[in-house]
């Protein structure tokens, strides 16, 4: 029996945001543990906003979904957003969890130099420039973030799915 193949439904622009931390000095949990604890608060805030926005209770911030990956020296969070502008708006909003966490990180970094590293990468992915395939998978990654459709709806191969997305 052939695997059930699916792809993501979304055809428009999207932003992919990778953010992570690296524990450089394991003996300094006072420096890196607050960084580890900050991300779940931000994700909780973003998921709550998404739910309230879907219920028509507030404006959507543009966050679709996230997946946390565990690494030996620290986590990486892959986030899917409507746009890069939405990421920047959230990051700079004084009333949201990111801004205080960022300020606290800088304050701790001065007292524990080099104990923990942080990083992020932002990708603006225009419509027609993303393709995915999932075989016998529950909704995952971009498909979990934006919806799942049978892969055959967009093409038999990665090249066909990408070409179909460019044609839309």
């Amino acid at each position: 029996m052939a695997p059930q193949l699916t792809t993501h439904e979304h055809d428009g622009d999207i932003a992919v945001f990778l953010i992570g931390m690296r524990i450089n000095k394991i003996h300094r949990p006072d420096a890196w543990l607050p960084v580890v604890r900050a991300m779940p608060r931000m994700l909780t805030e973003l998921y709550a906003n998404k739910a309230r926005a879907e219920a028509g209770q507030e404006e959507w911030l543009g966050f679709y979904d996230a997946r946390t990956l565990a690494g030996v020296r620290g986590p990486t969070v892959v986030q899917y957003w409507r746009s890069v502008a939405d990421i920047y708006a959230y990051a700079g909003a004084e009333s949201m969890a990111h801004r205080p966490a960022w300020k606290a990180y800088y304050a701790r970094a001065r007292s524990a130099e080099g104990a923990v590293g942080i990083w992020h990468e932002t990708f603006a992915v225009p419509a027609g420039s993303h393709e995915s395939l999932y075989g016998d998978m529950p909704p995952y990654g971009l498909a979990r973030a934006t919806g799942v459709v049978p892969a055959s709806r967009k093409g038999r191969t990665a090249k066909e799915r990408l070409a179909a997305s460019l044609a839309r």
Side-chain angles (χ1 to χ4, degrees), residues 15-17 61 79 81 83-92 122-123:
V16 180
F17 183 66
L61 297 172
Q79 298 180 8
W81 290 76
S83 70
V84 171
D86 290 333
I87 296 168
Y88 294 161
Y90 174 74
T122 307
F123 301 91

Side-chain angles (χ1 to χ4, degrees), residues 20-42:
M21 61 160 287
R22 183 177 189 277
I23 298 170
N24 295 326
K25 296 180 181 176
I26 194 76
H27 64 281
R28 293 298 310 266
D30 60 307
W32 55 260
L33 197 53
V35 178
V36 171
R37 290 181 176 153
M39 186 54 71
R41 282 193 302 273
M42 289 180 259

Side-chain angles (χ1 to χ4, degrees), residues 94-114:
E94 292 288 339
S95 62
M96 304 305 249
H98 177 268
R99 194 79 177 161
W102 185 244
K103 289 177 181 178
Y105 166 77
Y106 271 115
R108 274 190 307 282
R110 283 191 287 276
S111 66
E113 190 173 326

